Structure formats: C-alpha cells, structure tokens
Amino acid sequence: MNFSTVLSLVLMLVQLWPCSLSTQNCSTQNTDQAFTAVRRVKRGWVWEPLFVTEEQTSMVPVYVGQLKSDLDKQDGNLKYILTGEGAGSTFIIDENNGKIYVTQKLDREKKSFYTLRTQAISRSTQLPVETESEFIIKVRDINDHEPQFLDGPYVATVPEMSPEGTSVTQVTATDGDDPSYGNSARLLYSLIQGQPYFSVEPKTGVIRMASEMDRETKDQYLVIIQAKDMVGQAGAFSATATVTINLSDINDNPPKFQQRLYHMNVSEEAPVGTTVGKVFAEDSDIGENAAMNYFIEEDSAGVFDIITNNETQEGIILLKKRVDYESKRRYSIRAKVVNRYIDYRFLKEGPFEDRTVVKINVENADEPPVFTLESYVMEVAEEAMSGSLVGTVTARDPDDDDCPIRYSIVHGMHFKRLFSINEHNGTIITTKPLDREIASWHNITVTATETRNPEKISEANVYIQVLDVNDHAPQFPKYYETFVCENAVSGQLIQSISAVDQDDSAEGHHFYFSLAQEATNNSDFTLKDNQDNTAGIFTAKSGFRRQEQFYFYLPILILDNGTPALTSTNTLTITVCDCDTEVNTFYCRYGAFMYALGLSTEALVAVLACILIVLVFFLAIVAIRQQRKKSQFSAKMEEFRENIVRYDDEGGGEEDTEAFDISALRTRTVMRTHKPRKKVASEIHGLYRQSLQVGPDSAIFRQFISEKLEEANTDPTAPPYDSLQTYAFEGTGSLAGSLSSLGSNMSDADQSYDYLADWGPHFKQLAGMYASHRSVRD
C-alpha cells in the first residue's frame, strides 16, 4: 500500500496528513475537518489529530498523535519505526501502538516544519507490512515576537505648501511571527505625535500631509509612529519609530526692499564705474528661490547702472556716465528687483517683484580745467619762419569761480623744442623752421593748470601737420648701370629711367624728362619721355667702338609739376660693352672693371699666375722650417733624457728642519756643455758649501747666485729658452752636512760617516752603506 502521512503542528494544534512517497504530493487537509475528525482510515493507515499548543511543548514529553495501520490486530505483532528530521531526539514513537511524542520545546521561528518517515514491521518476519510513508509536521505559530522598525530613525523631506494627502514617506515594521496564520504578524500603524499636520495609513505605514504648511513658519517636524501586531487587539505587542520631516523651500515669497526711498551722494570727480551705493531686498525664501536681479527702471539720462551681487544679493548702483555739478545736481531713479526663478503656481498671489526710489545728489568738487576739444589738429607750412602761428588751444575752469588757466607744453626727454605756447592764451608758434621731409607730423601734449590750485591739471593732444612746399627737385631713384653693345643698332632701347621726389603732391607727381641743353646736339643717344613718369634712352647711331670711347656721360633734365616747378640735372653713365646686340650684364661689368684697371685679360691672367707661384713657394719654405724645428727639438729631447739625474735620499724625518737644498738637485748644470763639466761643478759646489755657513746677505751667497745666473745666461742651447730658476736659502746647514751627492766629485777622504750611527738604527745602516762604498772605491 503506497501512501504518506503528514503530521502538522500549526500554531496551537498538531495535525497529521498522509503523503504518497511515489508522487511526492502532499495534500493539506482542511482545518475544520481536522478539528471534527476523530478517526480516519487512509490507505491502510489510521491517524488521529490532537490539539497541542506551542507553549505546551515546554512540558515534555507531550503526546502529539498516533499512527495505526489497518492491519494492526492489536496483538502486538506489529512494530512501528520513526525516522527523519528530529526522530529519536525531538520526536519519539511508541513502537507498540504508534503514538508520537515531542520531547523538546518547538520554535516556529527557528524551524517551521519537520519531515519524518514511518514504517510498520512484522515482529515475526521482520518484514514491513506497509510501505514507508513520509510525514510533514508543521509547527503553528503563537504571538511571541514584538514588531521592529529596522530602518529607523527616519528622515524625510517634503516641499512646503504641499497639498493635503501628499505622500511624505513610508515606515515599515517587521514581526518575527508567522504572517500566514492568525494575526500574530498582522501590524497596525498609528500616529502618536504629529497631528494635525500629518497622518499615517494604518495598514501601509505611509505618512501623508494633513494640511498645507509654510516653511517660513516652521521648517522641521518630529513625528512618532506606532506599530502594533494582532491588528491592535488587547495583549498585542507594539513598537515606535521617530520620523524627522523637513520642509524644503519653494519660491512662494516675493522680494521686498528694506526701504521705499534711498538717498545717495556721488562726487562730480568720480570716474565711470564708481560705486554710488547699494540697495537690498529681502526674500524669506532660501537658496535659488531667493535669487534676484536688480534693474534700473526709470533713468532718462542713462547716467547710472545697477548690477547684482550674487553672493550678498545686493544691488550695486554704478556710475555709467560722468556727472557735472554745474550742469545737474540731483538725480532720481527707480530701481526694481525681480526673483530670478519664479514658481508660476504662486503667481496668483501677486508679482514676484518690488520697486524703490533712489535719489542721488551730486557733490561739488574742484575740477581741473576742461579743454574745448579732446584733441586738436593744426597745420603749418614747412620752412615757415620761426615764430609762425600754428594754432590756439582753449580750456576753461568748469567750477563756478572760473579760475584763470596757465598753458604749457610737455616736452619729452628727447623731444626737440620746435614749438612754444603762450601760457596765457594758449597760442602755439614755431621756434624753428620745419622740414616735412624729416617729419610730416608732430604730436605734442598741452597742459592746462589752474593758477590757484596747481594740482588741478588736464592734458590735450595736439597733432600738427607740416604742409609740403615744393623744395626738392626730382632725381633718379637709383644709380643706373647702363651698357651699350658695340654692335648696337640705331634706335635700340638701352635704358628705362624714372624719378622720385621727396615732396608731397596733392595732385600726384608728374615728371618731364629731356636732355640737358649741352646734350641736345648729341648724335649718339636720344631720350623719349613716355608721359608716365618714365623715359627711355635710345641709341642714335649704329655701332660703337670701345677703343675710341669707353664711357658716355649723358646729362638728363627732370622737371616736376610743383609750384614753383623745380628741375634737376642727372647724369647717366653709359658703358660700351664688347657684345653683339644683347647685353650680358656680368660680362660687361667685368670688362668695365678691367678697363678701370688698365689691364687686358691676358695681363690679368699673368698677374694671377705669378701670385699663385709666389704663394706656393712661400708655403714650401714655411713647411721646411717647421720640419727643421721639429727635428732639432727631438734631438734636444734625447739629450735631456740622457742627463736626467734622480735622487731618492731620505732626510732626517720631521725633526730635520734644515735638510739639504732640494733646489740644488733641480739645477740643469749637468746638461750644459759650453764649459768643462768638472770645472763648473767644482766652482759651484765650492760656493754652495760656503753659502751653507752664511746668511742670504753674505757676499759669498750673493756670489753663488751671480754664478748661477751667469751660467744660465751664457747657455743659449739649454731649453727652455725662457725659464725661471729658484734658489732657496735653507740655513746655515746641519751638523751632518749635506747628504746630497752634489759634492761627490770631491775626495771621499774628506767625508766621515761614523757620526750617523748616533742618529739611530736607520742612519747607522746608511753610514755602513757609505763606508762600504768608499772602501770599494778605494
């Protein structure tokens, strides 16, 4: 027989339902049926549901129910076995009658159901008489948990003036009890604090606006919400949460000026852009809802302007034009302020703007003189005589007292004083003649100063144009290098010429070209005026001979159209070139150069060849001399290497402050051969021995130095040719005398080294070496 039994403990009851293991399909029985059934047979199994509360499981063991097979004859032959979750520990079964007991306290929040399996076995055969069946024991909940607000405390924001019913936020509480059975987890929300401004939906916990509220009156509210389980019935658990609700600002208030009338003052000396004053409008809103812009609404003169300080929300009135106390002393303007961002929902409340009147008084000040013009333009003819009138500047004192004015010219550091001004009437005259070709315009600065208050000074620029006078004759613009071929034909164009004039012509320059009077009968060349400020030079004959005439000088007369007209004579030099009909400029220049030198081409080639030969010969001599010097120096170096003497004698240590003269070791006397070596050495060494016993002022010492100097001067072959030799006086000598070998050419019999043994072990060994060396030589 294939079936299953489900044992369910729900809330205060424990029920058993049979389930089929083959289909894994458990059918939950109706609760009412479970309460009324006393005994039911299902596919060979008989079960009886019992009423057991969750609280009763604290008194264990507690009888849960009984399983009985319809094959059970009540003779004790069947044995009931229980396996699965909690079998043997939480749940036990009486193997004789199939009664199930719970041995531990059950908690639905920890485990809501248990899956068990049961089987009936014959005691005689030890074989199952029924197939194994599965049971699900469900634990029914009781109200043993309080609601909890897990996300509290809450903070919410809602715009001010929101209409009634606007959702603010939602609070949610949780309950650990089973929400699917009974009312243990069914919560009910209520408002403990926050009336009459807010309300809460009992089932959802949604907080809503109960009335319109103004942020400017109060911007924050504290609301307390309570949640109760068991749908608020007696004995229910409860919890509370705090909700802080902030009202955000909207633009529902217009700006208002603090004053309906402002009084300000401005000096007539104030420059454009000066701050005249400030106006301020208040707005109860905050942030961008309080942002505003200021405007000048009525200012017919356009003298003032207003800007908005975005940080302080002030209107700053600025001077747009200069004011003059003598012209107008009072101004009245109307300023307007408007919200920058407008909420059109509240336009019905009125315009979001305000107006005020600003009265501005102009303060009188001692102003500097004012020129009638900002700048002056004057004209004067060039070469006008000194003292000629240029023009007049005029300034006045704008103040009522009309102070006298003194005029002067500001002269720069490098400005030549070409003009002067009458300090009383402002008349400008020249101080020397002007030349337009040097400077056609002169810019000077004239100052006007009040005589009573020298600090009040104003300036004006005066631009003086020097008018041109035709005082410069036209001339060639450059030097024309003109050539004519020997084989040129008559009427051939050889040169186009033009002219320039330093003067300025109002109608434009026009020049007229012609041959000078002395060249009108010239039979070699002619001139044609092109009537466009250019002219052409043409040959008047065919064929020219350089041998007869190499250069032609053609005087040309140039006339301008000035008043009075001026002329100039310019000479055009024409060179005859050895060419056919077309001129080769480079070749012709070369021929002209040779003609100027008076040489022919063959002569020039010969001169260059001679110069080249001389240069080669000179270089060869220099190379030979350099080779000789190098060979001679090499030979001398070989000689130097043969005569190098090295001394490694050791002195007496740090206490030997009067050692031998090392400079004597560096002497080059051994390399000089112009005197017999032994004779010179003997004389010098003798003097040296004597100098050790005397001071530097001694005649013997001076004689020693003289001998050394004479030796160096009389030896021209000893390198270097220019040398510095130093001889240091070391004192009167030590008791042991000199250890140097400079005196080695003297007899060894004069030397006794026994005393060196008294200086210590090292010198004793040195004495033995010298003594053995003397004995060997002997």
Side-chain angles (χ1 to χ4, degrees):
M1 189 176 298
N2 192 8
F3 61 92
S4 64
T5 301
V6 179
L7 179 64
S8 299
L9 180 59
V10 181
L11 188 59
M12 299 170 60
L13 303 176
V14 177
Q15 290 183 327
L16 284 78
W17 286 273
C19 291
S20 175
L21 290 176
S22 61
T23 60
Q24 296 295 320
N25 183 16
C26 299
S27 58
T28 304
Q29 305 300 315
N30 187 277
T31 304
D32 296 335
Q33 294 175 349
F35 287 150
T36 58
V38 177
R39 182 181 180 84
R40 177 170 297 177
V41 178
K42 183 69 173 177
R43 294 185 182 178
W45 284 99
V46 178
W47 52 268
E48 294 180 355
L50 298 176
F51 299 95
V52 180
T53 64
E54 189 179 11
E55 295 174 333
Q56 289 177 339
T57 60
S58 60
M59 301 174 61
V60 294
V62 176
Y63 173 70
V64 176
Q66 183 180 11
L67 294 175
K68 180 181 287 188
S69 173
D70 55 357
L71 300 178
D72 190 357
K73 303 302 182 179
Q74 300 293 328
D75 57 359
N77 187 41
L78 293 182
K79 177 182 178 181
Y80 296 94
I81 299 173
L82 183 69
T83 60
E85 294 180 333
S89 58
T90 304
F91 299 99
I92 58 175
I93 190 171
D94 190 332
E95 62 181 12
N96 297 317
N97 54 26
K99 292 182 179 180
I100 300 175
Y101 299 89
V102 60
T103 62
Q104 297 179 1
K105 183 178 180 179
L106 302 179
D107 188 355
R108 190 202 65 83
E109 285 70 37
K110 293 183 179 179
K111 191 171 181 62
S112 60
F113 67 92
Y114 296 84
T115 302
L116 299 171
R117 291 180 298 276
T118 185
Q119 194 174 33
I121 301 174
S122 174
R123 294 181 183 271
S124 59
T125 64
Q126 297 297 317
L127 296 175
V129 296
E130 299 281 358
T131 60
E132 188 180 49
S133 297
E134 184 178 272
F135 299 88
I136 296 177
I137 303 178
K138 290 186 177 180
V139 182
R140 284 190 171 179
D141 189 35
I142 63 172
N143 188 21
D144 58 350
H145 288 82
E146 296 180 353
Q148 290 183 337
F149 289 95
L150 300 179
D151 298 328
Y154 298 86
V155 178
T157 302
V158 62
E160 63 172 328
M161 304 304 292
S162 294
E164 183 178 349
T166 301
S167 175
V168 179
T169 187
Q170 182 179 15
V171 296
T172 303
T174 59
D175 195 308
D177 295 322
D178 187 4
S180 63
Y181 178 80
N183 296 324
S184 298
R186 294 180 62 184
L187 303 178
L188 188 69
Y189 298 94
S190 61
L191 194 65
I192 295 180
Q193 177 180 320
Q195 300 91 347
Y197 309 108
F198 303 95
S199 63
V200 63
E201 293 183 357
K203 294 183 179 180
T204 62
V206 176
I207 302 175
R208 298 185 181 276
M209 299 284 290
S211 63
E212 292 185 354
M213 288 174 287
D214 189 5
R215 187 201 64 84
E216 286 72 33
T217 302
K218 186 177 181 180
D219 61 353
Q220 190 178 80
Y221 293 85
L222 191 64
V223 177
I224 298 178
I225 303 296
Q226 183 185 62
K228 290 181 101 177
D229 60 11
M230 298 292 294
V231 200
Q233 298 176 1
F237 293 108
S238 65
T240 59
T242 301
V243 183
T244 302
I245 301 177
N246 298 311
L247 296 182
S248 61
D249 186 55
I250 62 173
N251 192 8
D252 58 342
N253 293 281
K256 296 291 183 182
F257 278 108
Q258 290 182 331
Q259 300 173 219
R260 289 299 167 193
L261 179 63
Y262 289 85
H263 292 278
M264 301 178 183
N265 299 313
V266 62
S267 174
E268 64 175 340
E269 287 185 321
V272 173
T274 299
T275 299
V276 179
K278 299 178 181 179
V279 295
F280 180 69
E282 292 182 334
D283 194 322
S284 301
D285 298 320
I286 59 175
E288 66 176 16
N289 294 319
M292 59 191 76
N293 292 325
Y294 294 87
F295 303 93
I296 297 294
E297 196 171 45
E298 293 182 8
D299 181 16
S300 57
V303 178
F304 301 96
D305 194 7
I306 190 170
I307 61 174
T308 303
N309 187 327
N310 293 324
E311 295 183 359
T312 62
Q313 295 299 316
E314 294 177 317
I316 303 173
I317 298 177
L318 304 175
L319 190 61
K320 190 176 180 181
K321 296 180 181 179
R322 294 289 298 268
V323 293
D324 185 13
Y325 175 82
E326 287 72 26
S327 300
K328 189 174 182 178
R329 301 184 181 183
R330 295 179 184 85
Y331 292 87
S332 179
I333 61 174
R334 184 182 294 272
K336 181 176 73 171
V337 61
V338 180
N339 266 137
R340 191 174 302 166
Y341 307 103
I342 297 177
D343 192 336
Y344 294 98
R345 296 177 298 173
F346 300 97
L347 283 178
K348 60 184 179 180
E349 305 294 336
F352 282 74
E353 60 185 37
D354 196 17
R355 292 171 176 80
T356 188
V357 177
V358 181
K359 292 187 178 294
I360 302 173
N361 295 322
V362 180
E363 297 177 343
N364 189 23
D366 188 6
E367 299 176 86
V370 178
F371 283 94
T372 56
L373 297 175
E374 293 184 359
S375 61
Y376 295 83
V377 178
M378 302 178 182
E379 296 178 347
V380 62
E382 69 172 325
E383 297 186 354
M385 296 180 59
S386 177
S388 299
L389 176 64
V390 178
T392 302
V393 296
T394 304
R396 64 176 184 85
D397 184 5
D399 299 320
D400 293 336
D401 55 358
D402 195 14
C403 179
I405 305 298
R406 184 175 66 251
Y407 301 94
S408 62
I409 295 178
V410 178
H411 295 282
M413 184 179 298
H414 304 290
F415 185 78
K416 295 182 179 179
R417 298 192 176 185
L418 303 177
F419 307 93
S420 65
I421 189 171
N422 189 305
E423 66 177 10
H424 301 293
N425 57 23
T427 300
I428 301 175
I429 61 174
T430 61
T431 59
K432 59 179 64 176
L434 305 177
D435 188 354
R436 191 202 65 85
E437 284 68 37
I438 297 177
S440 59
W441 284 89
H442 295 275
N443 303 332
I444 63 176
T445 301
V446 177
T447 61
T449 308
E450 290 186 6
T451 57
R452 297 173 189 169
N453 187 1
E455 295 182 356
K456 299 299 178 180
I457 303 175
S458 59
E459 296 181 350
N461 293 323
V462 179
Y463 306 101
I464 302 174
Q465 182 181 13
V466 181
L467 300 178
D468 185 45
V469 174
N470 193 21
D471 56 348
H472 290 82
Q475 57 187 4
F476 283 155
K478 62 180 182 178
Y479 172 77
Y480 288 105
E481 193 176 27
T482 306
F483 298 97
V484 60
C485 291
E486 286 186 308
N487 296 330
V489 297
S490 177
Q492 181 179 343
L493 177 65
I494 61 173
Q495 184 68 57
S496 293
I497 60 174
S498 61
V500 294
D501 195 331
Q502 296 182 17
D503 295 321
D504 187 15
S505 175
E507 301 177 355
H509 288 292
H510 188 77
F511 304 112
Y512 305 93
F513 299 88
S514 62
L515 293 178
Q517 184 66 32
E518 60 271 22
T520 53
N521 298 324
N522 191 304
S523 60
D524 298 319
F525 303 97
T526 60
L527 182 146
K528 179 183 178 181
D529 192 340
N530 298 326
Q531 300 300 317
D532 60 354
N533 293 338
T534 63
I537 307 299
F538 297 86
T539 58
K541 67 176 184 178
S542 298
F544 294 86
R545 293 180 58 82
R546 291 194 304 166
Q547 290 77 7
E548 295 179 358
Q549 187 172 354
F550 196 84
Y551 294 108
F552 290 89
Y553 301 98
L554 188 65
I556 298 175
L557 188 67
I558 306 176
L559 174 68
D560 63 15
N561 62 335
T563 303
L566 297 179
T567 60
S568 66
T569 302
N570 298 264
T571 302
L572 181 67
T573 302
I574 303 174
T575 305
V576 180
C577 179
D578 184 13
C579 57
D580 193 3
T581 55
E582 296 296 330
V583 175
N584 186 323
T585 304
F586 176 78
Y587 179 76
C588 293
R589 287 177 180 171
Y590 170 74
F593 175 73
M594 296 302 298
Y595 179 80
L597 295 178
L599 296 174
S600 63
T601 304
E602 295 78 4
L604 180 62
V605 171
V607 171
L608 294 177
C610 293
I611 294 175
L612 181 61
I613 293 173
V614 172
L615 180 61
V616 172
F617 182 72
F618 175 76
L619 293 176
I621 294 176
V622 171
I624 294 173
R625 289 186 176 180
Q626 292 293 334
Q627 186 65 28
R628 289 179 178 178
K629 290 182 179 180
K630 183 176 181 181
S631 301
Q632 182 179 4
F633 183 74
S634 300
K636 290 182 178 180
M637 288 301 297
E638 294 294 335
E639 180 182 355
F640 298 157
R641 285 194 293 269
E642 293 176 357
N643 292 277
I644 291 178
V645 180
R646 178 172 178 178
Y647 297 90
D648 291 328
D649 296 339
E650 183 177 359
E654 295 181 356
E655 296 181 355
D656 186 8
T657 59
E658 296 181 353
F660 57 86
D661 186 3
I662 191 64
S663 62
L665 298 178
R666 297 180 180 146
T667 181
R668 298 295 188 268
T669 55
V670 295
M671 293 183 287
R672 296 164 188 166
T673 58
H674 67 285
K675 292 184 179 181
R677 182 181 300 272
K678 291 185 178 180
K679 182 178 181 181
V680 174
S682 300
E683 293 176 358
I684 293 176
H685 293 159
L687 293 174
Y688 174 72
R689 289 295 182 182
Q690 298 178 32
S691 66
L692 292 177
Q693 308 299 325
V694 297
D697 297 331
S698 169
I700 298 175
F701 186 85
R702 288 195 298 271
Q703 183 181 358
F704 169 74
I705 296 300
S706 298
E707 290 288 343
K708 299 293 287 185
L709 178 61
E710 178 65 20
E711 181 183 359
N713 290 337
T714 55
D715 188 4
T717 60
Y721 296 102
D722 295 326
S723 63
L724 176 65
Q725 299 188 23
T726 303
Y727 304 96
F729 178 71
E730 295 184 348
T732 57
S734 63
L735 295 176
S738 176
L739 298 179
S740 172
S741 61
L742 293 177
S744 60
N745 60 333
M746 301 177 65
S747 175
D748 290 336
D750 301 336
Q751 299 295 330
S752 176
Y753 302 102
D754 297 336
Y755 62 89
L756 293 177
D758 300 334
W759 288 12
H762 297 291
F763 289 94
K764 182 177 181 181
Q765 183 179 0
L766 182 64
M769 292 173 57
Y770 273 88
S772 62
H773 179 66
R774 183 179 61 179
S775 61
V776 170
R777 292 184 59 185
D778 293 342

